[in-house]
Amino acid sequence: MISTGVEKAWELLGGLDPGVVCANAAAGFEAANGNYIVRSFCADFLVNPGERSVRSENPLGAAIMNRFGHFFLHSCLWYLVHAKEISFSGKPISPLNIRGGGMFFRGSHILPLDALAKKYGNDRQSFTQKGQELCAEILDFGDASLRLFPMPRIPATIILWLGDDEFSPRADLLLDSSCEMQVPLDIIWSTAMLTALVMM
């Protein structure tokens, strides 16, 4: 299934039971004002279907909305609509290996991993420091690696391979295979884009 626009997501979200949404999406809810509370990276975002507004009182959250609001809004709203209360598979998967991903993650949908590799290709410390600013878990893959949480039930792993005299630096982004059961393919892409961009 491929999602449609943001207005449709607002419409669908407004008709859902907040208790069900919160359980499925690992989100909170403020009954007094109708805000869903969604944790993304290190920031809490307040999502209000009645007002059709998203905001964050966290400086990082405000910066994400200012710079990458399109990707965040699209990802977050459809995540709240579609998320399911299921465990991570623990099996990392390339977006290209997701059903339909080999065709979708190409052309204008290529993730900016070359730019990410160029930025950090010889600077493991800055890569790790940036990840820590985003509440990433430090992993042991490649020359440096991070697990980030753009959405509570959609972890993304970025692996950095440092450049040397023989090889150019490389960055890979992997998703837990359960992402296929959480959101439509274009929302997987939007969430992966958001993850890559916040690391830049």
Side-chain angles (χ1 to χ4, degrees):
M1 175 184 175
I2 300 297
S3 71
T4 52
V6 167
E7 291 303 312
K8 183 63 175 179
W10 279 124
E11 178 185 337
L12 292 173
L13 181 59
L16 297 177
D17 181 337
V20 174
V21 173
C22 289
N24 286 340
F29 187 70
E30 297 175 337
N33 50 32
N35 288 326
Y36 286 102
I37 305 171
V38 181
R39 184 79 166 173
S40 177
F41 305 109
C42 279
D44 286 336
F45 291 81
L46 303 178
V47 181
N48 191 302
E51 299 175 353
R52 297 196 173 186
S53 66
V54 178
R55 71 181 192 280
S56 177
E57 298 173 358
N58 180 294
L60 171 64
I64 288 173
M65 286 300 298
N66 184 54
R67 297 183 61 196
F68 314 118
H70 168 76
F71 292 107
F72 181 84
L73 187 62
H74 202 61
S75 300
C76 184
L77 293 182
W78 284 108
Y79 169 77
L80 287 171
V81 169
H82 285 288
K84 299 170 185 64
E85 190 178 3
I86 57 177
S87 300
F88 302 136
S89 70
K91 299 176 181 178
I93 186 173
S94 165
L96 293 173
N97 293 328
I98 294 170
R99 286 188 300 271
M103 293 293 292
F104 194 88
F105 283 79
R106 298 195 182 279
S108 62
H109 290 137
I110 290 177
L111 299 175
L113 298 177
D114 287 346
L116 192 64
K118 184 176 180 180
K119 179 178 178 67
Y120 296 111
N122 293 293
D123 193 350
R124 179 191 291 112
Q125 182 176 351
S126 292
F127 175 80
T128 301
Q129 181 179 338
K130 181 64 174 181
Q132 290 174 324
E133 293 171 2
L134 297 168
C135 292
E137 299 174 10
I138 308 300
L139 303 178
D140 295 323
F141 304 121
D143 292 311
S145 52
L146 306 165
R147 180 184 291 122
L148 301 112
F149 285 84
M151 294 296 145
R153 297 198 189 279
I154 306 181
T157 297
I158 297 180
I159 304 172
L160 177 67
W161 307 86
L162 300 176
D164 57 26
D165 292 339
E166 188 174 356
F167 296 102
S168 299
R170 190 177 93 238
D172 296 322
L173 187 147
L174 304 175
L175 299 162
D176 189 87
S177 64
S178 62
C179 69
E180 293 185 89
M181 295 179 281
Q182 292 289 3
V183 293
L185 182 59
D186 62 329
I187 306 308
I188 294 175
W189 171 78
S190 182
T191 305
M193 277 293 293
L194 176 66
T195 304
L197 290 170
V198 298
M199 281 294 297
M200 301 287 280

